[in-house]
Amino acid sequence: MRIAIALLVGTSLALSACGTGTSQEATAPAVTGGVDAARIIAAKPAEWLSTGRTYDEQRFSPLTAINQDTIGKLGLAWFADLDTNRGQEGTPLFIDGVLYTSTAWSMVKAYDARSGKLLWSYDPQVPRETLVKACCDAVNRGVAAWGDKLFVGTLDGRLIAIDRKSGKPVWSVVTLDQTKNYTITGAPRVVNGLVVIGNGGAEFGARGYVAAYDADTGKERWKFYTVPAQPGTEQEPDYLKKAAATWYGEWWKQGGGGTVWDAMAYDPELDLLYIGVGNGSPWNQTYRSEGKGDNLYLSSIVAVHAKTGAYAWHYQTTPGDSWDFTATQHIMLADMEMGGQKKKVLMQAPKNGFFYVLDRTNGKLLSAKNFVPVNWASGIDMKTGRPIENPAARYYKTGKPFIGSPGATGAHSWHPMAFDPKSRTVFIPANLAAFPYIPEKGWKANKLGFNVGVDIAAAAMPADKAVREAAMKATTGALIAWDPVAQKEKWRVSYKGPWNGGLLATGGDLVFQGTATGDFNAYATKDGRKLWSFPAQTGIVAAPISYELDGAQYVAVMAGWGGVWALAPGILSDKSGPSRNISRLLVFKLDGKAPLPPVPPLTAMPLDPPPSTASAAEIAAGGARFGRYCSTCHGDSAVGGSIVPDLRHSAALNDKATWQMIVHDGALKDNGMVSFASIFSAKEIEDIRAYVIHRANEDKTLESKPNAR
């Protein structure tokens, strides 16, 4: 029994932090200047002061030393191994000679940007059992800077101010109800001296909001809810009263959803903060709102007055969302000529597959076209701004499964886009992956696991070679260069699989992107020709930045495979090839000569499960529970991704008592695997073990056949 637990710990859900609190590794350079609005707005080409570089979130670096003529000399300047093997999604900041970045588990690190020496490391000591509240890994997308402080949101819901020079915490506030299933993975933004942060949890029963905190004291200044409360329980502003008319039933029991977990942008001239709002809770509108209503402000772009948090306008991309079609994807601002007139525009390519251009002064829709194949709608009605829906897409009304394209992971997920203002081109990291939406009869919410109202277990991948091959063939990815004025594709780089990294465009007419295959590439802005590639040894999902120091241009990116695609899709997790997590910060410059250590071997473990002896009823019952409560982390059909244990290989399959100690008693809660005793009996937990044993034997048989997958 002890041996089995030790084996599970060795391949546990999370790697425990190597240290706690603040560690000093080298003397930090003096903080030479505070970060304020003027500095961010007029950002020097050498700097990267905010997660999107500037408030418009264009992720464009004007630097030109690394260009199409010099790219062949680009090499690794230095790298830093990280003390976590979860997904790395952070965008570093470069301020006054220092790179600041967040890592998985909401840790923050500062490096000398010349040499890569670690200056300090801060660990907020997020309780590892928080992972059960997170839909998509223990990731963190970045920090914000203001004055002499950095700000990070933690997975367990705190907003922490850190002294930029010492790495010591200055203040910490809890931004959410920690008894509920909220998390924070997004990067804060700071405007008008207010630190703005949202949260996630719409798959688990949360009510969304975004809030602003005083950068000096941490005191809450305003809060903006995206979903109305239970009628009669709050004195609500007019915008929420209007929203309530679009909701039905008792939506508040599951919070309604609408979490603001990532995208924000800011226009300092208009003093408008733009936020992207997430999906409903649950997805299935039958259980959320009696199957009717637009359900404002789900899946919407909302503008609020940044000083007060007062509502300004909104545009809803997916009324009555029932497909997890969030509008939390990257929002970018630009001034462009459209129809012979100069327009202040907002651009977004959300999950639903359409590229939207809005007038950011008033939210008016200017244009919308699909950038990937879409089957849930045939287009956008420009008179109403609403999608022209395919009736079959409303699976809960038809009672029939709907294979939606795009699927729940989105035509474009959180991975940042980039915009080249010279060529007026948007670069989109696109996913081409469908999802089977199967209505679940008699669904009821629970306090653990996904609460989405669709039958995830019924959609599990069968141990059928032909079905698997078809699914693999249909699942791909692409880098799409998009003309936002003409609303058409300029060029495309096709990838083997989805979930490729965020983007950086530069004044050197280059586009940088990491891939799920473990390459870090540079492409020509004009036509997408690959001009350079570096083998990163791990999948890259984060977006790069560029900075200049001592007259030399650098490109930096966080490497480390992770996120929901590395967890939930089962065999599709490895569509781009066997991916692994080697978490590092990689920094490049011209004539860089630093070598990476040899890539460690990737050994495929043979399947050697105990015999399947349970009844068909027990296996079916276990499969239903696994699909809803376990597959999000441990993979569709119990086929694990590369950053969590593949339970088909677990030693605990051989021992009922060990399995119970882990799943029932929570023996590995400090590694993220909490107890499920509050919702499962011992018999129900044993049925899950029976299902995993059955699946392991199915796959063992399948793998023994020639050319099987």
Side-chain angles (χ1 to χ4, degrees), residues 7-27:
L7 286 170
L8 275 168
V9 170
T11 54
S12 61
L13 278 169
L15 183 69
S16 298
C18 293
T20 58
T22 301
S23 65
Q24 300 295 325
E25 302 294 342
T27 302

Side-chain angles (χ1 to χ4, degrees), residues 33-375:
V35 176
D36 57 16
R39 191 173 173 188
I40 295 174
I41 293 167
K44 297 177 182 178
E47 298 179 316
W48 200 285
L49 303 176
S50 185
T51 190
R53 200 180 88 85
T54 48
Y55 280 134
D56 56 25
E57 301 281 325
Q58 291 182 5
R59 291 183 178 260
F60 174 79
S61 170
L63 297 175
T64 60
I66 300 171
N67 54 53
Q68 294 188 20
D69 293 327
T70 63
I71 186 67
K73 298 193 295 181
L74 191 65
L76 188 65
W78 56 267
F79 69 93
D81 284 317
L82 303 176
D83 51 357
T84 164
N85 65 349
R86 303 295 304 205
Q88 304 300 332
E89 297 185 359
T91 295
L93 302 185
F94 172 71
I95 310 170
D96 301 332
V98 179
L99 277 177
Y100 303 96
T101 191
S102 64
T103 75
W105 295 113
S106 319
M107 295 185 281
V108 183
K109 298 180 186 297
Y111 296 93
D112 184 300
R114 292 180 182 86
S115 66
K117 287 184 179 179
L118 180 65
L119 303 176
W120 53 257
S121 179
Y122 175 71
D123 183 354
Q125 301 181 52
V126 171
R128 295 314 192 241
E129 56 265 33
T130 306
L131 195 61
V132 76
K133 301 179 180 181
C135 78
C136 310
D137 205 355
V139 297
N140 189 279
R141 296 189 191 91
V143 296
W146 191 264
D148 58 359
K149 301 182 187 70
L150 295 174
F151 305 91
V152 66
T154 67
L155 195 68
D156 61 340
R158 290 169 286 160
L159 178 64
I160 301 174
I162 303 169
D163 181 84
R164 190 151 49 93
K165 181 179 180 181
S166 67
K168 295 180 179 179
V170 178
W171 54 255
S172 176
V173 295
V174 176
T175 70
L176 46 79
D177 185 344
Q178 291 179 315
T179 68
K180 297 181 178 179
N181 291 329
Y182 285 102
T183 53
I184 294 176
T185 57
R189 310 301 199 277
V190 189
V191 297
N192 303 321
L194 301 178
V195 189
V196 185
I197 191 68
N199 45 63
E203 278 73 34
F204 300 88
R207 179 192 181 196
Y209 61 87
V210 62
Y213 299 84
D214 188 287
D216 291 328
T217 66
K219 183 178 180 181
E220 183 182 303
R221 295 300 187 188
W222 55 256
K223 181 178 287 186
F224 182 92
Y225 281 102
T226 60
V227 169
Q230 179 179 351
T233 61
E234 294 181 8
Q235 186 67 36
E236 294 190 318
D238 287 344
Y239 83 93
L240 283 179
K241 291 177 182 177
K242 292 178 181 178
T246 70
W247 288 80
Y248 297 86
E250 298 179 327
W251 74 85
W252 58 86
K253 288 188 174 181
Q254 274 296 295
T259 49
V260 184
W261 52 264
D262 195 27
M264 287 184 267
Y266 174 61
D267 185 327
E269 292 183 4
L270 301 173
D271 195 35
L272 289 180
L273 176 72
Y274 307 96
I275 61 173
V277 183
N279 56 280
S281 179
W283 296 353
N284 187 331
Q285 199 186 31
T286 294
Y287 301 113
R288 184 177 76 236
S289 182
E290 296 182 345
K292 55 189 176 181
D294 285 352
N295 299 167
L296 291 171
Y297 295 89
L298 298 183
S299 302
S300 297
I301 300 163
V302 181
V304 302
H305 295 283
K307 286 186 175 66
T308 63
Y311 168 89
W313 58 256
H314 80 275
Y315 175 79
Q316 190 171 40
T317 58
T318 311
D321 171 47
S322 294
W323 308 277
D324 190 21
F325 284 167
T326 63
T328 51
Q329 283 58 56
H330 188 184
I331 293 171
M332 297 192 301
L333 313 180
D335 295 343
M336 296 191 303
E337 188 172 300
M338 301 185 68
Q341 292 183 314
K342 194 78 173 231
K343 296 283 188 180
K344 291 181 176 292
V345 305
L346 178 152
M347 299 178 288
Q348 190 189 50
K351 277 189 177 183
N352 71 14
F354 290 93
F355 188 94
Y356 296 87
V357 182
L358 308 180
D359 184 326
R360 70 175 182 269
T361 68
N362 56 23
K364 180 183 177 181
L365 177 65
L366 299 177
S367 65
K369 295 288 184 181
N370 59 298
F371 60 95
V372 296
V374 168
N375 72 350

